[in-house]
Amino acid sequence: MESFLDDTFDVKAKHAPDETLQKWRKLCGVVKNPKRRFRFTANISKRSEAAAMRRTNQEKLRIAVLVSKAAFQFISSVSPSDYTVPSEVKAAGFDICADELGSIVEGHDVKKLRFHGGVSGIARKLCTSTNDGLPKDADALRRRQELFGINKFAESESRSFWVFVWEALHDMTLMILAVCAFVSLIVGIATEGWPKGAHDGLGIVASIMLVVFVTATSDYRQSLQFKDLDKEKKKISIQVTRNGFRQKMSIYDLLPGDIVHLAIGDQVPADGLFVSGFSVLIDESSLTGESEPVMVGSETPFLLSGTKVQDGSCKMLITTVGMRTQWGKLMATLSEGGDDETPLQVKLNGVATIIGKIGLFFAVITFAVLVQGLLVRKWKDGSHVDWNAEEAMEMLEYFAIAVTIVVVAVPEGLPLAVTLSLAFAMKKMMNDKALVRHLAACETMGSATTICSDKTGTLTTNHMTVVKSCICMSVHEVGNPSKFANLKSELHDSALKLLLQSIFNNTGGEVVMSKEGKREILGTPTEAAILEFGLSLGGEFQAEREAVKLVKLEPFNSTKKRMGAIVELPGEGGRMRAHSKGASEIVLASCEKVINAKGEIVALDDSSVKFLQATIDQFAGEALRTLCLAYKEVQGGFSPNDAIPESGYTCIGIVGIKDPVRPGVKESVAVCHAAGIAVRMVTGDNINTAKAIARECGILTSDGIAIEGPVFREKSQAELLELIPKIQVMARSSPLDKHTLVKHLRTTFDDVVAVTGDGTNDAPALHEADIGLAMGIAGTEVAKESADVIILDDNFSTIVTVAKWGRSVYINIQKFVQFQLTVNVVALVVNFSSACMTGAPVGRKGHFITNVMWRNILGQSFYQFLIIWKLQASGKLMFELEGPNSDLVLNTIIFNSFVFCQVFNEISSREMESINVFRGIMNNYVFVMVLGATVAFQIIIIELLGTFANTTHLTSHQWGASVLIGFIGMPIAAILKMVPV
């Protein structure tokens, strides 16, 4: 069975081609209820339709943009002076309407933009400030929202409970039974009158309604869970200046006039205009299909919603929001194709299909045998020509028996059990700070054999402080006010001035005042630590920024491992100065000079290089993150389009930043090792820092290897085959190195790889991995979009929790399948055999498939079939049943015993291999409630609903015997678990 399922119903957890998804659907053929069976699988036809519509819209937008640009250059079109402000807009205090704003940005209309006074003119007409943002006036914000709209896209309406009831009624077998019930009611009332003649028909109707409402309730609750999780996925916050203060806001609260701050990896939240910034490259491929990034600046200031910041940082003015944006219009035209189905869903669809075909075969045989028996009896009686109502009802009952066999045999809920289990795991993981974006990641994480983890923020706390420095060739410990005072007193004034200028200008962070009037540092933890260092030395952020003119800023690049800035110095001549900051050994290699203890600039000789390199190694050996700061006087002028120099710098100094290891990480790594999961650290940091942290976490062991990215990428294929299994730490790695490592682990070594990432350049590795894990705090929107799971607290221990939940999903589904298939197999065989032997059914029912499971299923099935067959053969003698009611009492005892066999089988299925199945049972209140409800309903069916359920009252002796027969299955299950497989 397992090999057949692997060959026939095998799909990839990620990026499965549509042909593969279509193949297993065809193999499933006709199912009882396709609406329910395929609800949580990808709608391939709609997905193809959506992709075609997306391509059409992309082409239209691309042509519109190109034509508008060409028109501006070559055509003198209608003068924009024809524009008049609508009266309602004018009355609200604005001088421009939403449609005009939309046409400017969407059409890249530079001419209209200039007519309205450029970006500053648009800001003025929107009654906003490019420095302070929108004023905090609730009434004004409400009027703005009414006129310009909200930043939300149209969503499909939630389906009500009755829609799920309607879908549940589409079950083919239930529809057949409904027809049987209708015919039974008509014939029964016609022959036996009301109400006696309606009992059988109403009993079938009651069973159908019970099944329908239980199914609909389960599906409805599940849909609510997915809706809640979908809301969590869409929670995106962004930095906004409003009422003069920087603050984090949800993108859905943005309004035209808001000032938004964008950085590398951010998704543009609405249409808008570039206000200020440096080196901004925008990836518009999601809208236009163009792979080449677009440079955005004061000449081409148009920013479109849904595009992504590939490089640089900027401030933008929001002009158009929600459904007025091109992205909103695009989203409105597309139907969601849905998530790909998971491998377990597909395999269990295969199991359900195989058993369904077997059940259908047995149903046809059963119906043929029963009808043949009736025809033979009538032939012998000579009445084969004459048919009466009673015989017609008998024929109808035979058909109902055949349908019942299909109902009990086909485990239609088996694939949905996976979805239920995954949805439950997703909700629990959400509580444990892990947001699952793709359903398949839940089960794939349970199979993970390797975790490639970042260091900063995942293994460490990401709360950084500068604790050591080597400024002007002099090493100092810093960390408290007195030590900072000592350092400041020892530094020459010119050196201190250069240091503060470098810190406060060559940075992606900012120092702002919060609403409470407190100083707040914004930016990455590394930037925040450096800025805090500068403030502790007496520097003032705004004063340093205003003292020079920032000409160009190149943000930190994970490939270059450095960032740079060009500033224009005050005074005549407009002298330029370049500042560089980044990985110590890389920036130091670009230096030719150094500032000494006297504040003098001297040549960087061999002894100075050795001293600085030894200092870097010393800091790194203490698990400190090291950065080097340097500057260079730029000769011959500088244009913003020029590249920032990469050599000829003067070293100012080196700082050592402490980033403590997170509590519990060492224990979590030990848990991974015990579970057979290898943990590898992949970081851009210095190799000595990485090794020190890896040892502290328990990642780097005596037989492991630590390697640098540049060394790794120079290795040949043969060397990599030998090297990769031993790699435990990769330092100074580039995103390409991480991608290469992941690809080799997956393809060459057949590992199931989970990879963490937070930067835009981590997207390829996250996409390549079996499970991509993006950081919720430090991660960019691009990284999150490429990930399968978002770790909301950036904690390695949470990753281990995700792996635990992934494994529990597998185990829980195995338990359910063991229980479900036992019920189906026994019900099928018993109904078939009893119908064929006696002409009536027993009672009335109104890798993955492991050797362990087959052992338990077959053993339990054999016992239950044997005991029910024995009861059927000699039950009357065992219970001393006599009289006309004896058949009904025996059938009731058999039915009761069968149900209690399943009750105790459910308890036995709590553990696949452990004998003690009662451990922790009282902690699982849902399980206890389900068991209790099952027993309660069984008592009601037997004792109170006999007329409808075709059962009768049982004595206490008969109840005790039924319970005992069910209980005997538990010790048998325990014995079976001791049989080696």
Side-chain angles (χ1 to χ4, degrees):
M1 171 73 85
E2 179 72 10
S3 59
F4 173 75
L5 290 173
D6 282 338
D7 294 339
T8 316
F9 294 92
D10 187 37
V11 298
K12 295 179 180 178
K14 288 175 72 172
H15 322 307
D18 285 351
E19 296 76 21
T20 306
L21 300 180
Q22 195 67 56
K23 178 185 173 185
W24 77 262
R25 284 167 173 73
K26 289 179 181 176
L27 290 168
C28 281
V30 179
V31 298
K32 285 164 57 179
N33 190 346
K35 276 182 178 281
R36 188 164 185 258
R37 173 79 82 90
F38 300 115
R39 181 186 295 136
F40 294 103
T41 57
N43 190 326
I44 297 173
S45 60
K46 282 190 177 181
R47 185 182 285 183
S48 302
E49 183 183 326
M53 292 173 75
R54 183 186 288 274
R55 285 194 297 272
T56 302
N57 283 339
Q58 286 174 339
E59 188 61 23
K60 283 180 181 176
L61 179 62
R62 190 178 68 84
I63 292 170
V65 170
L66 293 173
V67 167
S68 67
K69 289 176 180 176
F72 170 69
Q73 291 176 9
F74 303 109
I75 302 171
S76 178
S77 58
V78 178
S79 171
S81 59
D82 297 340
Y83 172 72
T84 55
V85 184
S87 56
E88 66 273 15
V89 175
K90 194 76 175 173
F94 304 108
D95 291 322
I96 192 165
C97 68
D99 290 338
E100 182 74 357
L101 287 167
S103 68
I104 292 171
V105 178
E106 192 176 308
H108 288 55
D109 198 327
V110 180
K111 196 167 188 178
K112 272 189 181 180
L113 179 63
R114 288 179 180 170
F115 167 75
H116 286 290
V119 177
S120 59
I122 296 286
R124 191 167 54 253
K125 291 184 177 186
L126 278 172
C127 302
T128 187
S129 163
T130 55
N131 292 321
D132 297 333
L134 293 176
K136 189 178 180 181
D137 182 340
D139 291 335
L141 292 176
R142 181 178 49 77
R143 285 197 306 272
R144 192 180 294 266
Q145 192 178 83
E146 289 169 357
L147 279 172
F148 297 100
I150 57 174
N151 199 32
K152 290 182 180 176
F153 307 132
E155 294 181 355
S156 56
E157 291 184 9
S158 300
R159 298 197 297 177
S160 70
F161 171 74
W162 298 106
V163 173
F164 290 95
V165 171
W166 176 249
E167 285 191 358
L169 284 167
H170 279 73
D171 189 304
M172 193 186 302
T173 53
L174 293 183
M175 288 190 280
I176 294 170
L177 286 177
V179 173
C180 292
F182 177 74
V183 175
S184 179
L185 277 170
I186 299 299
V187 176
I189 292 171
T191 55
E192 298 182 57
W194 179 270
K196 188 177 179 182
H199 287 166
D200 281 353
L202 290 177
I204 297 173
V205 170
S207 299
I208 291 171
M209 296 313 295
L210 181 64
V211 169
V212 165
F213 277 96
V214 168
T215 301
T217 302
S218 171
D219 292 350
Y220 179 63
R221 289 188 62 201
Q222 188 177 341
S223 74
L224 292 179
Q225 277 191 354
F226 277 111
K227 189 176 179 182
D228 290 342
L229 288 166
D230 201 45
K231 283 181 182 177
E232 291 294 333
K233 289 180 192 177
K234 293 177 180 177
K235 282 185 179 178
I236 303 172
S237 295
I238 201 155
Q239 287 283 342
V240 178
T241 295
R242 190 179 274 192
N243 198 35
F245 297 106
R246 280 278 290 269
Q247 54 196 289
K248 262 195 172 185
M249 279 178 56
S250 168
I251 63 168
Y252 304 113
D253 294 330
L254 293 176
L255 293 170
D258 267 320
I259 301 299
V260 171
H261 302 262
L262 297 174
I264 294 178
D266 284 341
Q267 180 170 306
V268 179
D271 285 1
L273 297 166
F274 172 92
V275 176
S276 62
F278 300 96
S279 310
V280 180
L281 276 177
I282 299 292
D283 176 9
E284 292 187 348
S285 59
S286 56
L287 273 178
T288 64
E290 292 291 336
S291 57
E292 284 297 314
V294 176
M295 179 71 76
V296 172
S298 54
E299 295 296 318
T300 52
F302 308 106
L303 291 158
L304 296 175
S305 177
T307 59
K308 298 173 184 68
V309 182
Q310 189 167 310
D311 199 5
S313 60
C314 71
K315 207 160 65 168
M316 74 172 285
L317 168 68
I318 299 294
T319 58
T320 320
V321 294
M323 293 306 297
R324 293 181 183 274
T325 67
Q326 190 58 232
W327 183 251
K329 293 169 190 173
L330 186 65
M331 295 300 286
T333 60
L334 301 180
S335 315
E336 283 289 336
D339 255 359
D340 283 351
E341 47 270 26
T342 74
L344 273 183
Q345 280 178 319
V346 175
K347 280 194 177 182
L348 289 184
N349 264 295
V351 172
T353 301
I354 294 166
I355 296 175
K357 289 177 180 177
I358 295 170
L360 185 62
F361 172 77
F362 276 91
V364 171
I365 296 296
T366 301
F367 183 68
V369 169
L370 293 174
V371 171
Q372 182 254 352
L374 175 63
L375 293 175
V376 167
R377 190 173 71 246
K378 286 184 66 63
W379 183 270
K380 287 180 179 178
D381 295 342
S383 58
H384 56 278
V385 179
D386 301 321
W387 290 79
N388 55 36
E390 187 177 336
E391 288 166 338
M393 282 293 289
E394 191 175 349
M395 183 74 81
L396 180 66
E397 186 169 348
Y398 291 162
F399 182 69
I401 290 168
V403 174
T404 301
I405 287 175
V406 175
V407 171
V408 300
V410 180
E412 191 75 3
L414 212 54
L416 289 176
V418 182
T419 314
L420 279 169
S421 188
L422 293 174
F424 177 76
M426 285 171 74
K427 191 172 183 180
K428 288 293 185 182
M429 281 194 252
M430 187 68 208
N431 295 336
D432 290 335
K433 304 296 183 185
L435 173 61
V436 178
R437 295 186 70 252
H438 299 134
L439 206 60
C442 288
E443 64 184 58
T444 310
M445 195 64 194
S447 308
T449 55
T450 294
I451 297 175
C452 295
S453 174
D454 284 336
K455 176 185 73 69
T456 306
T458 307
L459 298 170
T460 61
T461 61
N462 220 13
H463 297 148
M464 301 190 190
T465 50
V466 177
V467 295
K468 280 194 172 185
S469 68
C470 177
I471 310 295
C472 300
M473 302 294 286
S474 180
V475 177
H476 290 85
E477 283 194 16
V478 292
N480 60 57
S482 62
K483 290 181 178 179
F484 276 112
N486 291 338
L487 173 60
K488 186 178 178 181
S489 65
E490 289 185 19
L491 289 177
H492 194 273
D493 287 346
S494 60
L496 179 60
K497 187 176 179 181
L498 277 169
L499 175 62
L500 294 178
Q501 188 182 89
S502 177
I503 288 172
F504 291 120
N505 287 286
N506 187 22
T507 179
E510 283 187 72
V511 181
V512 299
M513 297 301 291
S514 68
K515 291 180 182 179
E516 295 77 24
K518 295 179 180 178
R519 190 171 64 189
E520 188 176 346
I521 300 175
L522 302 174
T524 65
T526 306
E527 293 285 12
I530 298 290
L531 288 172
E532 184 65 48
F533 178 63
L535 293 170
S536 299
L537 288 172
E540 287 293 334
F541 181 81
Q542 289 301 332
E544 290 293 338
R545 278 294 180 97
E546 291 168 4
V548 296
K549 179 184 176 183
L550 191 59
V551 177
K552 184 169 185 175
L553 180 72
E554 282 187 0
F556 180 82
N557 186 298
S558 58
T559 303
K560 292 182 178 180
K561 307 288 184 194
R562 64 198 293 176
M563 70 177 295
I566 300 288
V567 297
E568 183 179 331
L569 302 175
E572 295 181 7
R575 290 189 304 123
M576 299 285 187
R577 181 176 289 160
H579 287 282
S580 182
K581 176 179 71 182
S584 298
E585 59 270 32
I586 292 172
V587 174
L588 183 61
S590 68
C591 292
E592 297 175 354
K593 300 173 184 177
V594 66
I595 303 176
N596 64 17
K598 296 178 182 179
E600 299 167 344
I601 299 169
V602 297
L604 190 62
D605 54 22
D606 289 343
S607 62
S608 299
V609 170
K610 286 179 182 178
F611 172 78
L612 290 171
Q613 285 178 340
T615 302
I616 293 169
D617 291 341
Q618 179 196 337
F619 286 4
E622 296 171 18
L624 302 182
R625 191 174 200 186
T626 64
L627 292 177
C628 182
L629 287 77
Y631 83 98
K632 174 183 179 176
E633 302 295 347
V634 179
Q635 306 297 330
F638 183 87
S639 165
N641 295 324
D642 295 340
I644 294 177
E646 293 188 359
S647 60
Y649 282 88
T650 300
C651 177
I652 300 172
I654 295 160
V655 293
I657 302 172
K658 181 71 174 174
D659 186 11
V661 172
R662 283 184 184 271
V665 165
K666 188 172 184 178
E667 292 78 4
S668 297
V669 170
V671 168
C672 287
H673 288 159
I677 302 173
V679 181
R680 293 176 166 88
M681 177 196 288
V682 184
T683 179
D685 247 344
N686 179 286
I687 190 166
N688 292 322
T689 305
K691 284 161 72 174
I693 294 288
R695 287 194 187 97
E696 192 175 343
C697 295
I699 293 173
L700 185 59
T701 58
S702 56
D703 55 347
I705 291 175
I707 192 171
E708 288 187 311
V711 178
F712 174 79
R713 68 183 78 115
E714 293 298 322
K715 297 291 182 183
S716 66
Q717 190 73 17
E719 288 173 319
L720 286 176
L721 288 175
E722 185 181 348
L723 188 68
I724 285 176
K726 300 175 185 176
I727 293 177
Q728 292 177 338
V729 175
M730 186 187 289
R732 289 293 182 230
S733 67
S734 68
L736 184 60
D737 296 330
K738 183 187 280 191
H739 182 270
T740 304
L741 177 65
V742 171
K743 192 171 183 180
H744 275 294
L745 286 169
R746 287 187 69 238
T747 56
T748 310
F749 298 96
D750 206 25
D751 276 352
V752 178
V753 185
V755 173
T756 69
D758 52 18
T760 304
N761 292 330
D762 287 327
L766 292 170
H767 189 269
E768 175 69 28
D770 295 288
I771 312 101
L773 304 162
M775 300 298 106
I777 299 170
T780 63
E781 287 306 315
V782 173
K784 291 175 187 177
E785 198 173 277
S786 300
D788 304 295
V789 181
I790 299 173
I791 307 301
L792 299 176
D793 60 355
D794 292 13
N795 194 338
F796 182 81
S797 298
T798 304
I799 299 171
V800 179
T801 303
V802 172
K804 287 179 181 176
W805 275 112
R807 292 199 175 185
S808 75
V809 165
Y810 259 100
I811 294 166
N812 288 339
I813 293 172
Q814 283 184 323
K815 292 174 184 176
F816 174 78
V817 171
Q818 175 182 312
F819 168 73
Q820 179 73 51
L821 292 188
T822 303
V823 176
N824 289 122
V825 170
V826 174
L828 171 64
V829 174
V830 168
N831 273 279
F832 170 73
S833 59
S834 63
C836 292
M837 288 189 289
T838 66
V842 178
R844 240 159 157 184
K845 197 175 184 286
H847 235 75
F848 180 72
I849 309 295
T850 63
N851 292 335
V852 172
M853 281 178 61
W854 282 124
R855 176 197 66 192
N856 296 344
I857 290 169
L858 295 176
Q860 281 286 327
S861 300
F862 180 73
Y863 161 71
Q864 291 181 27
F865 171 68
L866 188 65
I867 198 71
I868 291 172
W869 178 79
K870 183 66 176 174
L871 284 172
Q872 187 180 4
S874 54
K876 289 184 181 180
L877 185 64
M878 289 168 62
F879 290 98
E880 300 177 353
L881 301 177
E882 295 178 352
N885 207 30
S886 59
D887 283 336
L888 181 59
V889 174
L890 179 60
N891 270 348
T892 304
I893 292 171
I894 294 172
F895 171 54
N896 206 31
S897 300
F898 174 76
V899 169
F900 276 99
C901 279
Q902 307 323 317
V903 169
F904 288 104
N905 180 32
E906 195 169 349
I907 297 171
S908 295
S909 297
R910 288 189 73 241
E911 294 289 344
M912 295 290 294
E913 297 186 65
S914 175
I915 293 174
N916 184 5
V917 294
F918 291 102
R919 183 174 53 206
I921 192 169
M922 298 311 295
N923 297 330
N924 192 342
Y925 67 92
V926 175
F927 183 80
V928 174
M929 284 172 59
V930 169
L931 278 184
T934 304
V935 174
F937 274 116
Q938 183 64 10
I939 294 170
I940 293 168
I941 290 169
I942 298 293
E943 300 296 334
L944 302 178
L945 300 178
T947 306
F948 289 101
N950 202 20
T951 58
T952 187
H953 166 74
L954 296 180
T955 65
S956 57
H957 169 69
Q958 290 163 347
W959 270 103
S962 299
V963 174
L964 180 63
I965 288 168
F967 176 76
I968 290 171
M970 289 191 68
I972 291 174
I975 293 168
L976 284 169
K977 288 174 184 178
M978 291 188 284
V979 176
V981 290

